[in-house]
Amino acid sequence: MLGIIDYNMGNLASVYNACLKFTKDVKIVKEPDEIKNLDKLILPGVGAYKDAMEHLESSGLKDEIINFANSKKPLLGICLGMQLLFESSEEFGYTKGLNLIEGQVVKFDKNRMEEDLKIPHMGWNRIINKQNPLFKDLENPYLYFVHSYHAKTKDEYVIGETTYGYTFVSAVNKNNIFGFQPHPEKSHNNGLKILENFINL
């Protein structure tokens, strides 16, 4: 069974409907007790990092997500959900994350950009990807992005990079934990292929 976490911070319907194309064994989960019985887990998210972590902590979902990740079952974070996988974020001040992958989430640095680009980074852009099960049958795909912050992490965890003013980390993988900064559920065939690959792990 694939679970999609509902913690009041994500576009659940589009993720759920996209996953239904590849499996009927999918459900939206709100209660911590539901997580331990799942085979795979998706953590979506749109919004502010601090609010998201407060929701996860107050609901009891935080500890169960960490336990799930430690059980070696596949976990996928999308957009804000990917950012929550890291140690911390500087959005609205310092906020601790789930600490499942070493690294921090930082705002786009306008001083590093070679041209004056708008923040947030919004629209279609290319991921230059490494070989990874989630990129099966894909090579440097275009995907849909909406974000003002991005992750900084160790090279060993980076499976995809994207350029917007400068090159930043757009996809990660540490053991059974995966993260995508873009929205696969909004990225047509390329994004659907990523979700299919995750479901087929």
Side-chain angles (χ1 to χ4, degrees):
M1 178 65 71
L2 166 66
I4 302 170
I5 297 180
D6 178 4
Y7 61 111
N8 301 326
M9 297 293 293
N11 187 359
L12 292 173
S14 58
V15 178
Y16 178 78
N17 289 330
C19 291
L20 275 179
K21 296 179 185 295
F22 309 108
T23 179
K24 301 305 179 187
D25 292 328
V26 55
K27 67 176 183 177
I28 292 173
V29 297
K30 290 186 176 184
E31 300 301 325
D33 290 345
E34 296 179 273
I35 292 177
K36 59 174 63 74
N37 298 319
L38 300 172
D39 302 304
K40 296 183 178 73
L41 188 63
I42 294 178
L43 178 63
V46 177
Y49 196 102
K50 185 178 179 66
D51 290 343
M53 284 306 303
E54 287 177 354
H55 280 300
L56 292 178
E57 290 178 6
S58 64
S59 64
L61 289 166
K62 175 186 171 184
D63 289 341
E64 287 305 321
I65 294 169
I66 293 171
N67 290 338
F68 185 92
N70 290 336
S71 75
K72 309 302 181 186
K73 297 176 184 177
L75 167 63
L76 171 63
I78 295 174
C79 196
L80 175 61
M82 167 181 156
Q83 296 179 2
L84 296 172
L85 301 175
F86 292 94
E87 294 172 279
S88 66
S89 172
E90 65 178 26
E91 185 179 1
F92 300 120
Y94 177 85
T95 302
K96 288 184 179 180
L98 295 171
N99 196 22
L100 295 172
I101 302 177
E102 296 92 325
Q104 293 76 40
V105 176
V106 300
K107 190 167 187 177
F108 273 105
D109 185 352
K110 298 277 284 187
N111 294 324
R112 288 181 58 193
M113 291 186 168
E114 297 174 357
E115 53 185 312
D116 187 23
L117 298 174
K118 292 182 178 179
I119 307 297
H121 169 216
M122 184 180 300
W124 294 88
N125 206 338
R126 186 190 294 272
I127 284 188
I128 305 301
N129 66 280
K130 299 179 182 178
Q131 281 197 330
N132 186 271
L134 263 60
F135 285 115
K136 182 185 178 208
D137 298 327
L138 292 170
E139 184 175 355
N140 303 334
Y142 277 94
L143 299 166
Y144 189 79
F145 290 78
V146 183
H147 63 119
S148 300
Y149 292 77
H150 64 82
K152 296 174 68 176
T153 188
K154 296 179 179 179
D155 288 343
E156 64 191 273
Y157 303 138
V158 178
I159 60 170
E161 294 182 312
T162 297
T163 299
Y164 188 73
Y166 54 85
T167 300
F168 67 91
V169 176
S170 52
V172 293
N173 175 209
K174 179 183 179 183
N175 302 322
N176 56 306
I177 304 167
F178 301 84
F180 275 75
Q181 183 60 63
H183 287 271
E185 77 280 6
K186 297 180 180 178
S187 299
H188 303 319
N189 289 340
N190 288 339
L192 290 176
K193 186 61 183 174
I194 288 168
L195 291 174
E196 181 184 13
N197 289 337
F198 177 73
I199 288 167
N200 289 336
L201 284 176

